[in-house]
Amino acid sequence: MTTADEDLARRAEAVRDRHRATLGAVPAGVEARLELARAHGRLHTEEAVAELRHIVLTDNALGGRVQQLVHFGQLLALGRADPARIHARGALHAGADVADLIGVAETALLTAGVPAYALGIETIVELAHAEAAEPL
């Protein structure tokens, strides 16, 4: 591996580390974006997005737990199942519990209707099944 390739690999790993810190994992969509960005000389764009995301999530009065719960609720309202799932896991990683996730789903019922509530409960149930060895 050349020095330039090593530098790109190190920079991409730093972006991954930021996601691991807030979500506990690197979402598949982030991996795909990083791969495309590296292949086309656009890694700096992903670094800028990761930096802005880091600032908004960490330099914010809401704190990481509440931030992830807000993301979860907003994504439920938008009907975005996959990102909602990512942020539900992120909320758990940041110290939320199932009662918090249910509370967000119930709030989504009032603000975005039954489809958002159903998506929230479905997401929570999926997480519970995925963690069957250690129930949520």
Side-chain angles (χ1 to χ4, degrees):
M1 188 180 286
T2 68
T3 303
D5 289 338
E6 289 171 348
D7 182 55
L8 288 175
R10 179 191 53 75
R11 289 169 51 201
E13 192 59 27
V15 172
R16 288 183 190 95
D17 285 344
R18 291 209 168 177
H19 284 84
R20 287 184 193 107
T22 56
L23 298 173
V26 181
V30 171
E31 284 292 353
R33 289 195 327 257
L34 284 171
E35 185 177 319
L36 185 68
R38 283 184 64 183
H40 295 279
R42 303 305 297 173
L43 187 56
H44 60 283
T45 302
E46 285 301 315
E47 290 171 315
V49 169
E51 176 65 18
L52 177 59
R53 181 181 169 280
H54 177 75
I55 291 167
V56 170
L57 290 175
T58 62
D59 187 17
N60 186 298
L62 295 178
R65 177 184 155 278
V66 173
Q67 277 280 5
Q68 292 298 327
L69 290 167
V70 168
H71 279 77
F72 178 52
Q74 289 176 329
L75 291 160
L76 293 179
L78 292 171
R80 302 289 312 274
D82 290 336
R85 190 174 301 107
I86 289 167
H87 287 282
R89 283 190 196 108
L92 295 172
H93 178 73
D97 59 24
V98 172
D100 293 323
L101 295 176
I102 292 169
V104 170
E106 289 174 347
T107 301
L109 172 64
L110 295 178
T111 59
V114 173
Y117 170 73
L119 176 58
I121 297 303
E122 175 185 310
T123 301
I124 297 163
V125 168
E126 284 177 15
L127 288 173
H129 286 305
E131 298 291 326
E134 293 179 39
L136 301 175

